Amino acid sequence: SPSIVISKPPSAFPTSTPSVSLSKGSMRPSIAPTPTPPSIGCYEFAAEKYAKRVTKYGNVTTSTCSKLAKLTNTKPHCSKTKSGQGFLPAKLACKVTCGTCPDGCGEVDITKFFFEDEAKKTCAFLQKRRNKWNQTKMTKVCNREDPNGTVPSGNVACPVTCGTCISPSISPSILISKPPSAFPTSTPSVSLSKGSMRPSIAPTPTPPSIGCYEFAAEKYAKRVTKYGNVTTSTCSKLAKLTNTKPHCSKTKSGQGFLPAKLACKVTCGTCPDGCGEVDITKFFFDEKKKTCAFL
């Protein structure tokens, strides 16, 4: 029933006046929505940082998804649930590496695919051109096969960008839990059960696949210079702005920080299904108020 879906949950920072004007009879802002990435599949930034360890005092030790991907056993990291200082746990920050994509399909920005002749390109290269190339050219590049069979095609290495992720409800038997690794090894990192393309170890529990969960303290790339320097801000500060569009329309990431449209999906209104919550939003609880984080 799309007519009753609200693009944002109640703000964690309510104001006396609305932040954007609403068109008559509509519960959605009259401004045009910010373009969103594909709703099927997970896109992972290798340089993104996650909370490797969170002490009882709130101190955080971080690592990156690329370092996590090089480990033989990622389970000790991917099973943790604590976040802190704007850093998410690995299972949420590095969904492809941890195998926690809700639909089992994803790609890493630095994974390479066969481009042409002897050239190899990354999924990030392809992602930047997704809105520049027409569909014919995009399909041609994604379908291109390596004659030597050593480098995967774009369809295999970058299924999110190429649009080859298939909904589990359509054909679960051909879904692979992870794309080709950006850091291939000579021996398998986990044992595979006979006749199966999935690891024999039990999967890590995943968050619900419907809706977005936003951490108010999460940092996003507010500004990225041509030299790669990054100025950050938090989703909570973004939510307090009267006009979030200038921040939510940016696409650059850097030093492990995502753009606001990906890091603060609830605040930016970029949840694929239009539904989400912020961890510090309060609700009524037994004559008291509690946050979504408590729940």
Side-chain angles (χ1 to χ4, degrees), residues 11-134:
S11 173
F13 306 93
T15 57
S16 57
T17 57
S19 57
V20 293
S21 61
L22 301 180
S23 57
K24 188 176 181 180
S26 171
M27 297 190 76
R28 293 183 180 273
S30 56
I31 57 175
T34 305
T36 63
S39 59
I40 298 178
C42 303
Y43 190 86
E44 180 179 306
F45 292 90
E48 185 171 359
K49 294 179 180 179
Y50 68 92
K52 183 179 180 181
R53 182 171 178 266
V54 182
T55 69
K56 62 181 180 180
Y57 303 108
N59 297 321
V60 179
T61 302
T62 63
S63 188
T64 63
C65 294
S66 60
K67 290 181 180 178
L68 179 62
K70 293 177 181 178
L71 299 179
T72 303
N73 182 16
T74 60
K75 192 175 181 181
H77 296 262
C78 294
S79 60
K80 293 180 179 180
T81 58
K82 286 187 177 181
S83 62
Q85 298 179 6
F87 296 103
L88 299 174
K91 64 187 294 183
L92 296 180
C94 314
K95 290 183 179 180
V96 179
T97 299
C98 286
T100 51
C101 292
D103 47 26
C105 183
E107 70 184 62
V108 183
D109 62 342
I110 62 172
T111 302
K112 293 184 178 181
F113 70 96
F114 180 76
F115 183 61
E116 59 184 2
D117 299 328
E118 298 296 320
K120 291 184 287 185
K121 296 290 185 180
T122 64
C123 293
F125 165 85
L126 200 58
Q127 177 73 215
K128 289 178 181 178
R129 285 153 183 80
R130 185 164 61 93
N131 295 324
K132 296 179 181 179
W133 291 347
N134 59 39

Side-chain angles (χ1 to χ4, degrees), residues 11-291:
S11 173
F13 306 93
T15 57
S16 57
T17 57
S19 57
V20 293
S21 61
L22 301 180
S23 57
K24 188 176 181 180
S26 171
M27 297 190 76
R28 293 183 180 273
S30 56
I31 57 175
T34 305
T36 63
S39 59
I40 298 178
C42 303
Y43 190 86
E44 180 179 306
F45 292 90
E48 185 171 359
K49 294 179 180 179
Y50 68 92
K52 183 179 180 181
R53 182 171 178 266
V54 182
T55 69
K56 62 181 180 180
Y57 303 108
N59 297 321
V60 179
T61 302
T62 63
S63 188
T64 63
C65 294
S66 60
K67 290 181 180 178
L68 179 62
K70 293 177 181 178
L71 299 179
T72 303
N73 182 16
T74 60
K75 192 175 181 181
H77 296 262
C78 294
S79 60
K80 293 180 179 180
T81 58
K82 286 187 177 181
S83 62
Q85 298 179 6
F87 296 103
L88 299 174
K91 64 187 294 183
L92 296 180
C94 314
K95 290 183 179 180
V96 179
T97 299
C98 286
T100 51
C101 292
D103 47 26
C105 183
E107 70 184 62
V108 183
D109 62 342
I110 62 172
T111 302
K112 293 184 178 181
F113 70 96
F114 180 76
F115 183 61
E116 59 184 2
D117 299 328
E118 298 296 320
K120 291 184 287 185
K121 296 290 185 180
T122 64
C123 293
F125 165 85
L126 200 58
Q127 177 73 215
K128 289 178 181 178
R129 285 153 183 80
R130 185 164 61 93
N131 295 324
K132 296 179 181 179
W133 291 347
N134 59 39
Q135 188 59 46
T136 302
K137 183 170 183 179
M138 195 71 183
T139 302
K140 183 179 179 181
V141 172
C142 289
N143 288 341
R144 199 171 285 155
E145 299 279 350
D146 178 10
N148 298 319
T150 56
V151 183
S153 66
N155 283 335
V156 175
C158 316
V160 176
T161 302
C162 286
T164 51
C165 283
I166 301 174
S167 173
S169 61
I170 299 174
S171 180
S173 62
I174 62 173
L175 283 178
I176 302 174
S177 59
K178 294 186 182 182
S181 172
F183 307 94
T185 57
S186 57
T187 57
S189 58
V190 293
S191 61
L192 300 180
S193 57
K194 188 176 181 181
S196 171
M197 298 190 76
R198 294 181 180 274
S200 55
I201 57 175
T204 305
T206 63
S209 59
I210 298 176
C212 302
Y213 190 86
E214 179 179 307
F215 292 90
E218 184 171 0
K219 294 179 181 179
Y220 69 91
K222 183 178 179 181
R223 181 171 178 268
V224 182
T225 69
K226 62 180 180 179
Y227 303 107
N229 297 320
V230 178
T231 302
T232 64
S233 188
T234 63
C235 295
S236 60
K237 290 181 180 179
L238 179 63
K240 293 177 181 179
L241 299 179
T242 303
N243 182 15
T244 60
K245 191 175 180 181
H247 297 261
C248 294
S249 61
K250 293 180 180 179
T251 58
K252 286 187 177 180
S253 60
Q255 297 179 5
F257 297 101
L258 299 174
K261 63 188 292 184
L262 296 180
C264 313
K265 290 183 180 180
V266 179
T267 300
C268 286
T270 51
C271 293
D273 48 23
C275 182
E277 70 186 57
V278 182
D279 62 342
I280 62 172
T281 302
K282 293 183 178 180
F283 69 95
F284 178 76
F285 177 76
D286 194 23
E287 299 184 358
K288 298 179 182 179
K289 289 187 289 185
K290 295 288 185 180
T291 65

